[in-house]
Amino acid sequence: IPLVITTSSKDELKMKYSTSVTSSRRKNRKAHFGSHSEARRKLMSSNLSKELQDRHGVRSMPIRKDDEVVITRGMYKTREGKVTACFRKKFVVHVERITREKVNGTSVPVGIPASSLCITKLKMDKDRKATLERKSKNKGDAKSGEDVAMSNVD
């Protein structure tokens, strides 16, 4: 396997961690904006609130309709509401009561990026419960593995 060595502006040699993953901005943007719906579901993930993180042992989850969220960034920061729609095509989420007036007086929902939200209450179903258990189990295994590995180091 050939080693990939890149040089930065300071003429320091840096090695890529994985040769199968590109660092190209162009290719990463193509992959992001050309991704299919199921991949976009994962890309549209939001952090859980501190309480939910402690309860489930999971940091973030893909957002879905009927989750309760608080907006953490932007003009609508600190506003709370329930997710009314997730538009994967636009990478945007609509939250109830977050609207703006059009020139003709009609009210339209404002699209909020999923990364600007924090989930405060999860809409639970069997698939989501299974996902939470799987993710928390993986995190628990990693922690216990580190503890075991470091237990014999003095």
Side-chain angles (χ1 to χ4, degrees):
I1 299 173
L3 278 174
V4 177
I5 300 174
T6 59
T7 58
S8 65
S9 60
K10 296 180 181 178
D11 295 330
E12 296 173 9
L13 294 177
K14 290 186 180 179
M15 291 177 45
K16 280 174 65 171
Y17 289 108
S18 173
T19 55
S20 61
V21 178
T22 183
S23 309
S24 166
R25 179 172 190 266
R26 178 185 187 180
K27 290 178 184 176
N28 279 315
R29 285 177 58 83
K30 182 179 182 184
H32 183 268
F33 293 110
S35 56
H36 52 85
S37 181
E38 185 55 34
R40 286 179 185 223
R41 176 180 165 272
K42 263 211 162 130
L43 288 169
M44 291 178 65
S45 291
S46 295
N47 287 340
L48 300 181
S49 67
K50 295 293 180 199
E51 298 161 4
L52 289 177
Q53 285 182 29
D54 293 340
R55 188 185 315 160
H56 299 294
V58 174
R59 188 177 175 87
S60 65
M61 285 287 288
I63 200 148
R64 64 165 286 182
K65 189 176 173 181
D66 295 329
D67 281 346
E68 288 182 25
V69 296
V70 62
I71 300 172
T72 56
R73 287 179 188 81
M75 197 169 94
Y76 301 99
K77 189 174 183 173
T78 69
R79 299 271 300 270
E80 298 179 33
K82 189 180 275 194
V83 174
T84 55
C86 293
F87 287 98
R88 293 183 189 171
K89 188 173 184 179
K90 298 186 203 173
F91 287 106
V92 125
V93 174
H94 288 173
V95 180
E96 69 180 4
R97 297 189 305 276
I98 308 294
T99 56
R100 63 186 297 247
E101 292 279 319
K102 284 173 64 170
V103 177
N104 64 9
T106 59
S107 160
V108 291
V110 176
I112 313 270
S115 60
S116 300
L117 301 173
C118 180
I119 301 173
T120 55
K121 189 174 179 192
L122 289 164
K123 167 92 161 66
M124 282 301 231
D125 58 8
K126 61 178 174 50
D127 294 330
R128 215 136 194 234
K129 196 170 271 189
T131 304
L132 281 170
E133 286 173 12
R134 175 176 47 81
K135 286 178 88 172
S136 64
K137 188 183 80 165
N138 289 347
K139 195 165 269 191
D141 288 349
K143 282 183 183 172
S144 62
E146 287 174 13
D147 293 342
V148 170
M150 295 302 288
S151 64
N152 55 6
V153 175
D154 287 323

